[in-house]
Amino acid sequence: MPEYWVSDINKAEEGVAQLEWAERNMPVLMSLRKKYSDEKPLRGAKIAACLHVTKETGVLVRTLKAWGAEVYLAASNPLSTQDDIAAALATEGVCVFAKKGESEKEYFWAIEKVASIHPDIVIDDGADLHSLLHEKHPEMLNKIKGGAEETTTGVVRLRALEKEKKLGYPVFAVNDAMTKQMFDNRYGTGQSTIDGLLRATNILISGKTIVVAGYGWVGRGIAARARGMGAEVIITEVDPVKALEAVMDGYRVMKMEEAAKIGDVFITATGDKDVITWKHMEKMKDGAILANSGHFNVEVSVKDLEENSISSRELRRYMKEYKMKNGKVLYLLAEGRLLNLVAAEGHPSEVMDMSFANQALIAKKVWTEPRLEPKVYKVPLDIDQNIAMLKLKSMGIEIDELTPEQKEYLDSWKLD
Amino acid sequence: MPEYWVSDINKAEEGVAQLEWAERNMPVLMSLRKKYSDEKPLRGAKIAACLHVTKETGVLVRTLKAWGAEVYLAASNPLSTQDDIAAALATEGVCVFAKKGESEKEYFWAIEKVASIHPDIVIDDGADLHSLLHEKHPEMLNKIKGGAEETTTGVVRLRALEKEKKLGYPVFAVNDAMTKQMFDNRYGTGQSTIDGLLRATNILISGKTIVVAGYGWVGRGIAARARGMGAEVIITEVDPVKALEAVMDGYRVMKMEEAAKIGDVFITATGDKDVITWKHMEKMKDGAILANSGHFNVEVSVKDLEENSISSRELRRYMKEYKMKNGKVLYLLAEGRLLNLVAAEGHPSEVMDMSFANQALIAKKVWTEPRLEPKVYKVPLDIDQNIAMLKLKSMGIEIDELTPEQKEYLDSWKLD
Amino acid sequence: MPEYWVSDINKAEEGVAQLEWAERNMPVLMSLRKKYSDEKPLRGAKIAACLHVTKETGVLVRTLKAWGAEVYLAASNPLSTQDDIAAALATEGVCVFAKKGESEKEYFWAIEKVASIHPDIVIDDGADLHSLLHEKHPEMLNKIKGGAEETTTGVVRLRALEKEKKLGYPVFAVNDAMTKQMFDNRYGTGQSTIDGLLRATNILISGKTIVVAGYGWVGRGIAARARGMGAEVIITEVDPVKALEAVMDGYRVMKMEEAAKIGDVFITATGDKDVITWKHMEKMKDGAILANSGHFNVEVSVKDLEENSISSRELRRYMKEYKMKNGKVLYLLAEGRLLNLVAAEGHPSEVMDMSFANQALIAKKVWTEPRLEPKVYKVPLDIDQNIAMLKLKSMGIEIDELTPEQKEYLDSWKLD
Amino acid sequence: MPEYWVSDINKAEEGVAQLEWAERNMPVLMSLRKKYSDEKPLRGAKIAACLHVTKETGVLVRTLKAWGAEVYLAASNPLSTQDDIAAALATEGVCVFAKKGESEKEYFWAIEKVASIHPDIVIDDGADLHSLLHEKHPEMLNKIKGGAEETTTGVVRLRALEKEKKLGYPVFAVNDAMTKQMFDNRYGTGQSTIDGLLRATNILISGKTIVVAGYGWVGRGIAARARGMGAEVIITEVDPVKALEAVMDGYRVMKMEEAAKIGDVFITATGDKDVITWKHMEKMKDGAILANSGHFNVEVSVKDLEENSISSRELRRYMKEYKMKNGKVLYLLAEGRLLNLVAAEGHPSEVMDMSFANQALIAKKVWTEPRLEPKVYKVPLDIDQNIAMLKLKSMGIEIDELTPEQKEYLDSWKLD
């Protein structure tokens, strides 16, 4: 039995049923698992992973194990752990350190725990594990053959590290793979944010004005789904090209200070901090709802809410009511943490299928190929296309192929 | 303390918080409650109600009480009761008989219980209470001053009764009010069905083929939201005009036998029975998901699922996995009962606000005006428009008014 | 050769090709034409028709002739005549009196011309012919066996006449048939209004704010298509229920006075007059575009434009530029007349297929059945459903049928 | 008076009015024109341009002239010239060689004409001018300081040239600028393709099945607008990632051979040849409509249509009817050339505003900065963002700016 730290090991059986359901909805990763399980391409690799401990992560971890790796897992968010999954993985021999609702101190203790194994491969979601290794364990960096990063936020942090010439091992920006970010960030977060909003509030979306901060992949996914559920959507942005795209997509675009006055619901998805502060809150309508779908709980200033309210209470699960000093009431969902992971179940298995197929194939690539320079790398195009093709196949979809004449035509430059 | 039968009276406090949240989202009913609470227009009336025992029903019941009525409440579905609400209402003096998960026997016992009070007014959702009164208590019919019916299904049943000249008291088809059916059936059920689907399965809707049976208000609400979440939607219908409308709205329309072969998810919303039977199930893809949003659990033939499967198990809450004798797996959600009420929280407060404002104003009308002939009546247009106007006002929306010249123009017939 | 008054009889050949194209796209009317052409159910009937002289009307007129009728045709709008069609019909023996761009005097002369034949059946679009018969030719009313009216506006006028007990013959409100109004008013006008807007202006719709006045079938068709082309859509309404529906559909709803300040394009579809007057125009942005898709050119006050401008010119075909006295420029499309008919080609054949199948079957019904009381009648449901079924068939679509058990279930009222 | 070759110089006045309308809708280019008209940054430059001779190109040419350049203009498509614009430009001193409907021989003669001026700067749309210069005038290449290319197709051809080390001067891929391709290719072609389809056929889009070949920016623009008009849309693709994106966006994806059987309308947008050949045509439904929105008329094989038909005729303007040897009828729009440019008016001014602002700023950059290596270059990010910001400003839209703290946060990598 491995070392582990979970809420209730007796929930393992429930977790196993969840894992089965996830495996059914992750045909790409399952076909890859099967394809390489004899070969065991990760034999001998120690993997430190900091990921949301969900059923989909469970399927990834099972795959890494089936390929021969030893896996150590910590949660990448104190609230996102599914305790039954943690229990199931523990009983299957994964060293998992994660409890839903763990304290901040416990959260970092768990990350330290998986960091301390002297890993060969590092898989992270948000770059807390990468950061900790660089800050606290410079001695381990040389041994690490490579890493991967799942989120936009994490890639931004790693690029900053690279720019300062402090990156200690090569990292693949799995986040930037087309089969990850176009699907996971857009379709996955789009749907699961709506899901989280409904579970936390049960409000009618139709007829509401929803303000989405940020029109990156995540923001546009949320905007599309909110509109698809009948909301009028307002976008705020700092990038003029993205702002213009939002306008052309039929959304209203304005400064947050203006949007603050008319929104019923606010959802941040920028990757930056202080997107909604007291400056905006004080202009909001009575009963406005605040939520975040960006990686860290810094986008909505909880501090400003606390400091400018006279009382607060948990009105529903994941919904806190603040009576503000200006007499109005504001609602904060999921403590300003990732709404989709805290109040709902995070991404559906189908999107994580592709993200984690990338993770698995990158781990395989890192372990079976020579160590690269310590830089941030893109996922190779052939991995992306392979995954997309496997996904289409799993859906029973066939697509056209270029004929040699068509290929030649595309390459030609002569006058027709 | 009134007589009551609830799961756990200690949940009352939780229920009260839920009621507060609902009241915030039901501005129309709240403004009406306030307007007539001094007048007490229902003083002396005994109301028998058979409704889903949700927080919104709680707000209606509180309103009826504030207007002077004595209220007896049973659940209109064995699975839809929110136990905390039942507890809260019981502590507030409502005779409530409802437990989530009550047996069929208990369900009818509870309806009998509220029927037996010799009511003045009967409010029903699905017409089980109306039917029981007609079948078992013909002696009470004369005393009943009037009733109301909330659902399409119920109105169909009452019209059949009326046609056979057996209707014993006047009933208002609240279901047919524009501010009820256009909003509740379409926007409410549309959203909450998606909500129920997500909570029960957490599948990615985007990229799925969802088959919606029936293109009435409920069906088109579900179809619009499913498309809005990224699904490809197929409609089945028996009415050629509705079928054509679905085609024009950009959906594929076909027979269920054809749709059975290609759907990933099937949702029935027809009000009829045996919409999906073994004839269809046997053609379905491995892993197809079956659900119902019509009033009764007769649309998907659970009997056919049971008889043609070799084993079954509860894989997730509200999701049962059937291994069929043809080797495929099918999933049934919420036992084929109303998906939105069983797996999610039913309609958002905002839509019930209007449905229940109709119920309250109809109860007031029934009690304060002379008894009508025993027929099925429409909700008067002025009630509908009044409610719509109050709703717009609560959203801060002002609309144009016709000038006298414009009114005259609309009434004119002369050559211009 | 019949009497006729057309622009250029030499355009007949062009018109014939257009008629062939229309017949290909009108499978319902063509199948009906064929079905009854031996029987000649309209033998002996003189039909006075006042319709937009388009290729689709040509297919109707050919059908009425194939069924044995004698047809006299005037235009229902001075600008909507397609001269090649008028020419083609004239050569085929129809007494047609219509020229694109005819004067108002000529317009009424032509209507008088077809009125003067002592018709048996009257088919009208807007009720100018019905009105003229009632005002100027009361002596003819008794002979008229029945009539039909194509538009909302016309039906409103006829209902006013009926209310005043002045209606002289039975009229069927073809406009109100489901296969007419749901398809023609919504899908037809929706698309062709966008088409007219593009042909008149070639502006990019995406990113524009388009204000639609009226959320009836026409207005919601325009709104849906404008949004589908990327616009942000604002609705103005006078009916609170419709206004609320627009809100729930995700549109912004406000008074025209507010919308005036922010719209880029304004399209009226109310059936009423003075929807946009100087009160609104003076608040509009420089360069705002005004158009109308309601039946008469009274919705945008052209008088107010003229009186408050210092100069004007035709900048593009169907687009007039007004320099207003407040220094801003406003653009009026199609002189404020029906944008879709003037600047584009009116409804696509596919929608007129159903409208005109109603017209043909109603003419047949009027002529072959006993004369009814002089009232406004609905199109019988079986005609509606027959047409919808023929349309589905022409698209290769099959739908489900109720089993006897399902029918019985729908009719039952007993406890399950 | 300059040398010119236009259809009718008397149309100049009409053209001038069109140019005024375009200038009103091109605020970005107009503000740039004004900003640099004193400075005259293109003084002394001879520009050879091969562009669609539309009103928007006219506004670009006027801007280049206002900045001091001498401009020689040929059409980039034999059918896309607006003769009134050609006339207007000729009277304003532009050497323009373009007539709508010019023969292929005339087309190349005109390109040769503008090539022969020994240009300093070359602006092209499709790379016919770039190709001709490389093939026929290698002696001129050294003098050319730089060029720009407007289309995807042209950039593909130039990249092929670059790969073979044969590119003779630096070229900026204006096509790849975000403010070009995301807006022009997607929103512009999307709308104008629908516009062309409507003008050519006047069919009802709602209820039709439209097959779009290619899911690049152009294809997804067309797909979004076709769906927005009520069509059911099917996508064909050769790239699995794009195919998967289409599935996730709710479209059906399949091979063209399958789509051929069910489509009502086919629109190609791939940039490749032989996308629709007899292999597909023979499976199509009677009455299927074929069109192309890719740059060259090679996507739909007109040869295959001709060879497999027994007769053909022009049924409507821009719509040719082919009776095929298998007994069915097929319709080809605009001879298989760019539907939006031939049958409609090409891109709306609003999108060309941004494309041509890029062209103007690139011409300025090429002329005022040192000659670059002969490579294919991206448009610099600051030009893109500047244009987007000017566009937002012209729409009255303000957006947020990052605070210094927010910038710092985005650049940080430390543990929070």
Side-chain angles (χ1 to χ4, degrees), chain B residues 132-148:
Chain B
L132 183 141
L133 283 162
H134 281 80
E135 292 208 333
K136 307 272 177 62
H137 298 289
E139 78 286 1
M140 293 191 191
L141 303 183
N142 266 343
K143 190 211 163 195
I144 296 169
K145 202 164 166 202

Side-chain angles (χ1 to χ4, degrees), chain D residues 62-80:
Chain D
R62 280 179 163 189
T63 302
L64 298 174
K65 279 191 64 199
W67 289 0
E70 214 174 299
V71 186
Y72 298 78
L73 178 65
S76 58
N77 184 299
L79 291 177
S80 65

Side-chain angles (χ1 to χ4, degrees), chain C residues 319-332:
Chain C
M319 186 172 85
K320 199 164 179 180
E321 182 187 76
Y322 288 87
K323 299 220 164 141
M324 307 307 292
K325 60 185 189 192
N326 65 3
K328 292 181 188 163
V329 164
L330 296 178
Y331 295 97
L332 177 68

Side-chain angles (χ1 to χ4, degrees), chain A residues 157-228:
Chain A
R157 296 173 83 191
L158 290 161
R159 289 242 160 79
L161 209 52
E162 181 188 28
K163 211 170 140 192
E164 296 183 30
K165 313 270 182 214
K166 291 182 182 163
L167 190 64
Y169 48 84
V171 185
F172 282 86
V174 164
N175 177 73
D176 298 351
M178 286 183 293
T179 47
K180 196 277 177 179
Q181 74 174 345
M182 286 201 317
F183 298 91
D184 173 331
N185 297 16
R186 180 164 38 161
Y187 304 110
T189 314
Q191 170 175 306
S192 56
T193 297
I194 297 298
D195 190 6
L197 177 61
L198 290 177
R199 296 197 202 196
T201 68
N202 202 40
I203 58 165
L204 181 70
I205 293 177
S206 190
K208 292 286 187 303
T209 298
I210 296 188
V211 178
V212 178
Y215 202 61
W217 287 121
V218 173
R220 68 190 60 194
I222 297 170
R225 294 307 170 234
R227 173 188 275 177

Side-chain angles (χ1 to χ4, degrees), chain A residues 204 206-207 230 232 247-248 250 252, chain C residues 204 206-207 230 232 247-248 250 252:
Chain A
L204 181 70
S206 190
E232 195 230 325
V247 173
M248 292 293 155
R252 280 204 286 167
Chain C
L204 181 69
S206 188
E232 196 231 322
V247 173
M248 292 292 157
R252 280 204 286 167

Side-chain angles (χ1 to χ4, degrees), chain B residues 204 206-208 227 229-233 247-252, chain D residues 204 206-208 227 229-233 247-252:
Chain B
L204 180 70
S206 188
K208 292 285 188 302
R227 174 188 274 178
M229 295 301 278
E232 196 230 323
V233 176
V247 174
M248 292 292 156
D249 288 340
Y251 300 112
R252 281 204 285 167
Chain D
L204 180 70
S206 189
K208 292 284 188 304
R227 173 187 274 178
M229 296 299 279
E232 195 231 322
V233 175
V247 173
M248 293 292 155
D249 288 342
Y251 300 112
R252 279 203 287 167

Side-chain angles (χ1 to χ4, degrees), chain C residues 141-403:
Chain C
L141 304 183
N142 265 343
K143 191 210 160 196
I144 296 170
K145 201 164 166 204
E149 171 54 42
E150 178 74 13
T151 67
T152 308
T153 301
V155 171
V156 167
R157 296 173 83 191
L158 289 161
R159 289 240 161 80
L161 210 50
E162 181 187 28
K163 211 169 139 193
E164 298 184 28
K165 312 268 181 216
K166 292 181 179 161
L167 190 64
Y169 48 84
V171 186
F172 282 85
V174 165
N175 176 72
D176 298 351
M178 287 183 293
T179 47
K180 196 277 178 181
Q181 74 175 346
M182 286 200 317
F183 298 91
D184 173 329
N185 297 17
R186 180 165 39 162
Y187 304 109
T189 313
Q191 171 176 305
S192 57
T193 296
I194 297 297
D195 190 6
L197 177 62
L198 290 178
R199 296 197 201 196
T201 67
N202 203 40
I203 58 165
L204 181 69
I205 292 176
S206 188
K208 292 284 187 305
T209 298
I210 295 188
V211 179
V212 178
Y215 202 62
W217 288 122
V218 172
R220 68 188 64 194
I222 297 170
R225 295 305 172 236
R227 173 188 275 178
M229 296 298 279
E232 196 231 322
V233 175
I234 293 172
I235 303 292
T236 72
E237 246 301 338
V238 296
D239 176 335
V241 176
K242 284 180 182 151
L244 191 51
E245 218 181 335
V247 173
M248 292 292 157
D249 288 341
Y251 300 111
R252 280 204 286 167
V253 174
M254 60 186 73
K255 293 188 171 212
M256 183 57 86
E257 280 188 67
E258 290 309 305
K261 299 172 196 165
I262 48 184
D264 297 305
V265 179
F266 297 79
I267 303 173
T268 52
T270 70
D272 208 338
K273 71 173 184 180
D274 292 337
V275 179
I276 296 179
T277 62
W278 175 240
K279 182 173 76 166
H280 311 107
M281 292 169 189
E282 69 174 347
K283 292 181 176 141
M284 288 181 181
K285 295 194 290 192
D286 185 42
I289 294 170
L290 310 181
N292 168 49
S293 281
H295 188 77
F296 289 114
N297 60 338
V298 299
E299 307 211 9
V300 177
S301 174
V302 181
K303 195 170 118 286
D304 281 11
L305 264 178
E306 300 282 357
E307 287 179 4
N308 294 285
S309 59
I310 53 176
S311 71
S312 68
R313 61 168 174 163
E314 193 84 2
L315 190 61
R316 279 169 64 99
R317 207 173 172 205
Y318 308 126
M319 186 172 85
K320 199 164 179 180
E321 182 187 76
Y322 288 87
K323 299 220 164 141
M324 307 307 292
K325 60 185 189 192
N326 65 3
K328 292 181 188 163
V329 164
L330 296 178
Y331 295 97
L332 177 68
L333 305 187
E335 303 176 19
R337 293 176 188 274
L338 276 166
L339 179 62
N340 61 335
L341 271 157
V342 177
E345 297 174 59
H347 289 313
S349 305
E350 291 92 332
V351 281
M352 297 316 296
D353 187 20
M354 290 191 286
S355 297
F356 284 169
N358 275 292
Q359 289 285 10
L361 290 177
I362 286 299
K364 174 171 166 291
K365 181 183 177 69
V366 161
W367 192 238
T368 57
E369 298 183 6
R371 194 180 195 260
L372 295 163
E373 297 273 288
K375 286 187 185 165
V376 177
Y377 291 91
K378 283 190 168 179
V379 173
L381 186 63
D382 64 310
I383 287 186
D384 238 353
Q385 295 202 319
N386 181 18
I387 288 171
M389 204 49 121
L390 287 171
K391 188 76 184 179
L392 288 169
K393 201 179 154 194
S394 79
M395 302 171 109
I397 292 170
E398 289 182 281
I399 64 173
D400 286 321
E401 273 177 79
L402 291 177
T403 62

